[in-house]
Amino acid sequence: MTIEQLNADYGIANQLQFIEGKGGLPIIAIANSKAKATISIYGGQVLSFQPSNAAEDVLFVSEKAYYQEGKAIKGGAPVCWPWFGPDPEGLGRPSHGFMRNRLWSVLGTETTANGDTLVKLGLTDTVETREIWPHNYELSIEFLVGETLVISSITKNTGSEPYSITQALHTYFTVGNINAIQVLGLDGANYIDKVDEMTEKQQDGAVTIAGEVDRIYATVSDKLTINDPSLSRQIQLTATGSKSAVVWNPWAEKAAKMGDLDDLEYLKFVCVETTNAGDDIVEIAPGSTHQLTVKIAAI
Ligand SMILES: O=P(O)(O)OC[C@H]1O[C@@H](O)[C@H](O)[C@@H](O)[C@@H]1O
């Protein structure tokens, strides 16, 4: 669909418009009385969210992100689905599933009763996706932009057999200085340390970051907080449909090897991801739906 057609069908006067973004990719630009946000239809991912009273964007996007078909956009909140991390069956399929580099369909846009903006994007299985992953699904991603940002991944099993998924709302958050932040709410949680041969460990106190961190936390609280003294703010995450969470920062050496991350940008973000990952595998019966949601507030 062209930008003109999208605006005609789904634009909302003075609140939501479709524009051509970097690399010619279609972007949804939202500005309402409470916040502004941009959502990339490619990848089905929110790229920015800034409540009216926030000095800085809540989400981080790499200055070197690719805006190119076939590649994931590094930043905002990519959607990892129907698996999180490496191919669970070792068949050489891409890491984090196959939704990050697709053009999604716009299912609907609306203004809610309290003036928030709701956007729904979706994808269903095709001959091509069944070659990669032999299951039937309707996957939709919903974004509710208001004082807070709410992101939901809703998976419906439209087939006749049950199947299992793992997934992540792979949120990149802007921080003032990675060395100074704390992630709260994980004290006592067990985690798999991906940078220490998948050793199982237990979190003691707040998470601080002074090197590469890549952890899958099991059975976490539904409320996590990023305490960021450099930007004098807290980012609060409230999750539903999830028992696990991932904390990731590549640190200097890995960042330097990434073509889509500037060498020093690792200092400026942390990923605290709302997931079904590790042992938090979700089985979905035929006709059933699983919803993974995170509400993000910056205070
Ligand atoms: O570079 P990608 O594919 O976006 O993945 C980034 C990171 O995503 C994290 O969620 C994983 O735990 C890391 O292991 C991974 O490196």
Side-chain angles (χ1 to χ4, degrees):
M1 234 189 245
T2 63
I3 295 285
E4 289 71 28
Q5 192 63 49
L6 287 165
N7 273 314
D9 290 357
Y10 299 108
I12 304 174
N14 303 320
Q15 187 173 130
L16 182 154
Q17 58 170 327
F18 293 81
I19 56 173
E20 192 175 292
K22 291 181 181 165
L25 299 176
I27 296 285
I28 303 173
I30 296 168
N32 59 32
S33 60
K34 300 170 189 172
K36 55 184 185 175
T38 54
I39 296 166
S40 173
I41 302 178
Y42 176 80
Q45 90 194 60
V46 56
L47 295 178
S48 66
F49 169 65
Q50 191 165 3
S52 315
N53 58 0
E56 298 260 354
D57 208 298
V58 174
L59 300 176
F60 166 90
V61 177
S62 167
E63 282 171 20
K64 290 193 159 175
Y66 302 125
Y67 297 90
Q68 201 173 312
E69 285 197 26
K71 296 195 170 175
I73 303 173
K74 192 167 234 81
V79 183
C80 308
W81 190 99
W83 58 84
F84 171 81
D87 180 351
E89 291 171 44
L91 301 174
R93 297 171 299 178
S95 172
H96 289 334
F98 52 86
M99 288 298 168
R100 296 188 297 170
N101 54 7
R102 281 173 195 273
L103 199 59
W104 289 58
S105 299
V106 180
L107 302 182
T109 59
E110 65 184 72
T111 307
T112 64
N114 65 0
D116 294 356
T117 311
L118 180 65
V119 172
K120 297 183 187 183
L121 305 179
L123 280 173
T124 55
D125 57 286
T126 62
V127 172
E128 182 252 334
T129 66
R130 289 193 294 276
E131 290 281 312
I132 308 171
W133 192 66
H135 299 292
N136 303 106
Y137 59 84
E138 281 171 16
L139 175 63
S140 50
I141 303 287
E142 297 188 2
F143 305 93
L144 184 63
V145 177
E147 273 163 29
T148 62
L149 170 68
V150 183
I151 312 171
S152 297
S153 159
I154 303 156
T155 306
K156 181 171 185 189
N157 178 349
T158 53
S160 52
E161 302 288 332
Y163 56 70
S164 297
I165 61 163
T166 55
Q167 61 176 332
L169 300 169
H170 192 311
T171 32
Y172 288 72
F173 292 105
T174 303
V175 298
N177 174 5
I178 190 77
N179 292 286
I181 68 152
Q182 294 178 310
V183 183
L184 309 175
L186 293 166
D187 185 22
N190 291 334
Y191 65 91
I192 295 166
D193 192 344
K194 288 174 84 174
V195 297
D196 188 12
E197 297 174 341
M198 306 296 274
T199 310
E200 201 170 319
K201 300 181 180 174
Q202 189 176 37
Q203 182 64 39
D204 183 14
V207 180
T208 53
I209 300 182
E212 184 186 359
V213 167
D214 193 355
R215 301 175 182 171
I216 303 175
Y217 284 88
T219 323
V220 303
S221 146
D222 61 353
K223 287 193 173 48
L224 302 179
T225 300
I226 302 166
N227 191 18
D228 184 353
S230 312
L231 293 183
S232 305
R233 78 174 172 193
Q234 290 196 333
I235 297 172
Q236 296 180 336
L237 285 74
T238 309
T240 52
S242 159
K243 297 192 190 100
S244 54
V246 166
V247 179
W248 177 64
N249 181 284
W251 213 250
E253 205 179 315
K254 281 229 169 115
K257 289 186 190 143
M258 291 177 179
D260 57 352
L261 194 66
D262 204 28
D263 286 2
L264 291 179
E265 280 188 306
Y266 74 93
L267 295 164
K268 296 292 178 193
F269 80 89
V270 65
C271 287
V272 177
E273 306 168 35
T274 301
T275 60
N276 297 120
D279 291 338
D280 182 14
I281 298 167
V282 176
E283 185 173 286
I284 309 175
S288 295
T289 295
H290 174 71
Q291 179 163 340
L292 175 70
T293 295
V294 63
K295 179 167 93 173
I296 297 164
I299 54 167

